[in-house]
Amino acid sequence: MKNNKSILFILLSSILISSCNSMPPLDMTLSSVPDVKRQSVELKSISVGYVAKTRGIKLDTNHLVPPAWESALKDAINRSLVFQDDVDRNITISVRINHFDIPAAGFAMTSDCGAIYEIMDRSNGEIIFSTDIRSSGTTPMDYAFMGVTRVQESMNRCARNNIAGFLNDLNEVSL
């Protein structure tokens, strides 16, 4: 009987210790950016937000996602050198997150997200490029014991894949 209690105590202790992983930060920054061709436009500003609530879209995220997404997008654009400086044509990028679905439970956590990227010519207000990128990000069970940690990382991976998809789409157009 005493031996069974010891085994149970060791088992419970190991589960508690292994579940003490820290929550990953909301870090959507790409570890490496895809190679893209240079565009002869200068980027003046980037804004990221959610679609208007009047559209009836339910998003399973919080207020921390748009600033993290914007920071990661700026970083990816700066590191990719896709836009030039000191050229006559200036643009603005507007991103509206229109889909974010995070898993409620499971072993491998998969988040799905989508965003509308619009590039506007600042000289006349015309939208010169628009795309709706859908992506997903999966975090396997061996990443962390705690489900909330895997959910957070799946959100990070989903946004990273979305931003990488946008850069890949930029590679296919001439602005």
Side-chain angles (χ1 to χ4, degrees), residues 117-166:
Y117 293 81
E118 292 179 339
I119 298 178
M120 181 179 69
D121 188 329
R122 289 177 65 101
S123 66
N124 58 14
E126 177 185 339
I127 295 184
I128 55 176
F129 177 72
S130 179
T131 185
D132 188 352
I133 307 286
R134 298 290 171 147
S135 62
S136 65
T138 301
T139 305
M141 177 64 185
D142 64 356
Y143 180 81
F145 180 74
M146 289 179 43
V148 68
T149 304
R150 292 193 314 274
V151 167
Q152 181 83 6
E153 182 58 23
S154 74
M155 290 172 61
N156 289 338
R157 292 177 183 191
C158 183
R160 288 179 196 136
N161 292 339
N162 200 283
I163 292 168
F166 170 65

Side-chain angles (χ1 to χ4, degrees), residues 9-168:
F9 176 75
I10 290 171
L11 181 62
L12 287 175
S13 297
S14 65
I15 289 173
L16 286 174
I17 289 171
S18 68
S19 68
C20 292
N21 293 340
S22 63
M23 178 78 110
L26 198 57
D27 179 16
M28 300 172 175
T29 305
L30 278 69
S31 57
S32 64
V33 293
D35 291 330
V36 292
K37 69 178 180 182
R38 300 242 359 197
Q39 301 283 345
S40 60
V41 294
E42 183 177 357
L43 178 63
K44 288 294 186 180
S45 68
I46 296 176
S47 63
V48 177
Y50 293 116
V51 294
K53 288 184 179 185
T54 57
R55 296 197 181 164
I57 295 173
K58 181 179 176 286
L59 300 166
D60 290 335
T61 62
N62 59 39
H63 66 284
L64 300 174
V65 170
W69 195 303
E70 183 175 332
S71 176
L73 180 59
K74 284 179 183 177
D75 178 72
I77 287 172
N78 288 338
R79 289 191 297 141
S80 71
L81 300 173
V82 64
F83 301 119
Q84 297 179 10
D85 294 333
D86 300 326
V87 292
D88 293 333
R89 192 166 181 207
N90 299 318
I91 61 165
T92 296
I93 297 178
S94 172
V95 181
R96 290 169 303 178
I97 302 167
N98 63 357
H99 176 74
F100 221 118
D101 184 25
I102 58 176
F107 294 110
M109 301 288 190
T110 301
S111 291
D112 297 310
C113 61
I116 300 168
Y117 293 81
E118 292 179 339
I119 298 178
M120 181 179 69
D121 188 329
R122 289 177 65 101
S123 66
N124 58 14
E126 177 185 339
I127 295 184
I128 55 176
F129 177 72
S130 179
T131 185
D132 188 352
I133 307 286
R134 298 290 171 147
S135 62
S136 65
T138 301
T139 305
M141 177 64 185
D142 64 356
Y143 180 81
F145 180 74
M146 289 179 43
V148 68
T149 304
R150 292 193 314 274
V151 167
Q152 181 83 6
E153 182 58 23
S154 74
M155 290 172 61
N156 289 338
R157 292 177 183 191
C158 183
R160 288 179 196 136
N161 292 339
N162 200 283
I163 292 168
F166 170 65
L167 289 176
N168 286 329

